[in-house]
Amino acid sequence: GALVYQYPRRTICKSGTSMRMECQAVGFQATSVAWYRQSPQKTFELIALSTVNSAIKYEQNFTQEKFPISHPNLSFSSMTVLNAYLEDRGLYLCGARAGGWNQAPLFGEGTRLSVL
Amino acid sequence: GEQVEQLPSILRVQEGSSASINCSYEDSASNYFPWYKQEPGENPKLIIDIRSNMERKQIQELIVLLDKKAKRFSLHITDTQPGDSAMYFCAGAATGGNNKLTFGQGTVLSVIP
């Protein structure tokens, strides 16, 4: 079956350092990959959306300089949190879908980031 | 962009009774509305969805209603069980080709035995 694999599941980094997380689509080709962050006690904030043959679109309050994303092929995406601080804590989810807007993205298990 | 409001934020019901969660959206072009269930420490999982060509959809004990005129949609869980206790999120898809899904704020459902 189709699933989305995220790595690592949990990670801790020192304040001011960077952390890279990966997202792998298994069993399907991800035409679009969305990265979300769920901060403690909050809903899901869309960080950026990466669609095949289109530039990566970042949401307000999120920038490429802070959250660079790579989407080299239809099965893999990675995102780095640069210079992580306390406010970057949370669960980072990768949602990938094979089709268009009327299909629900399949989420990975997420990468839970703690910052010391 | 699209805004999705979700209420209530906390919902406690007795086992066997029904639970209802309501969401509203702003973008009349939104045509797809999935619902996710998230258990503690887990990722959100799709439980049911509805498209704009439907007003009602049911999967076992889950019922979703969509009122396009009022821009509202709701999730109803009938005959709730303790296993239904979780965080629930509604979402709406902004059309126009950008594939963006906007989530509601979430509802913590507790089913009391």
Side-chain angles (χ1 to χ4, degrees):
Chain A
L3 59 91
V4 173
Y5 177 69
Q6 282 189 256
Y7 177 83
R9 289 289 307 276
R10 295 177 183 272
T11 186
I12 302 172
C13 67
K14 285 186 177 180
S15 181
T17 64
S18 300
M19 177 61 213
R20 181 173 182 265
M21 52 194 75
E22 300 179 348
C23 173
Q24 180 88 37
V26 180
F28 70 104
Q29 292 188 319
T31 55
S32 68
V33 173
W35 285 92
Y36 289 86
R37 178 173 71 189
Q38 185 182 33
S39 302
Q41 309 304 320
K42 289 188 177 180
T43 189
F44 300 93
E45 297 177 279
L46 178 63
I47 298 171
L49 181 67
S50 176
T51 305
V52 170
N53 298 324
S54 295
I56 298 172
K57 295 180 182 177
Y58 285 83
E59 291 294 294
Q60 195 173 12
N61 301 324
F62 297 97
T63 65
Q64 183 180 6
E65 290 70 31
K66 172 72 174 177
F67 300 96
I69 290 171
S70 172
H71 190 180
N73 56 57
L74 290 174
S75 63
F76 182 82
S77 177
S78 67
M79 184 178 74
T80 302
V81 181
L82 294 174
N83 300 317
Y85 289 99
L86 274 178
E87 58 265 29
D88 295 319
R89 293 173 303 162
L91 179 67
Y92 287 82
L93 288 166
C94 165
R97 64 182 132 189
W101 59 266
N102 62 347
Q103 286 191 8
L106 190 61
F107 285 100
E109 297 288 334
T111 293
R112 190 167 295 279
L113 174 64
S114 299
V115 181
L116 301 179
Chain B
E2 173 68 290
Q3 298 284 333
V4 176
E5 297 294 323
Q6 182 174 349
L7 290 171
S9 55
I10 298 173
L11 180 59
R12 295 189 181 94
V13 299
Q14 288 292 135
E15 180 179 356
S17 65
S18 297
S20 296
I21 303 172
N22 300 295
C23 291
S24 61
Y25 59 98
E26 294 184 356
D27 188 351
S28 57
S30 291
N31 284 353
Y32 177 64
F33 307 94
W35 286 87
Y36 290 88
K37 177 182 180 182
Q38 186 181 28
E39 314 227 25
E42 300 290 326
N43 61 325
K45 293 181 174 62
L46 178 70
I47 54 173
I48 191 169
D49 57 8
I50 191 167
R51 294 176 170 78
S52 62
N53 60 345
M54 301 175 72
E55 295 180 347
R56 183 183 189 278
K57 183 174 181 178
Q58 180 167 2
I59 297 177
Q60 296 181 334
E61 78 279 6
L62 303 176
I63 300 172
V64 173
L65 302 176
L66 173 62
D67 183 341
K68 288 180 289 184
K69 279 188 177 179
K71 297 183 193 174
R72 292 180 182 175
F73 57 112
S74 56
L75 172 68
H76 307 272
I77 307 173
T78 59
D79 188 24
T80 53
Q81 301 298 312
D84 294 324
S85 296
M87 189 90 164
Y88 290 81
F89 291 91
C90 63
T95 57
N98 62 4
N99 295 324
K100 178 180 172 180
L101 204 60
T102 301
F103 286 85
Q105 295 87 345
T107 296
V108 178
L109 172 63
S110 298
V111 179
I112 304 166

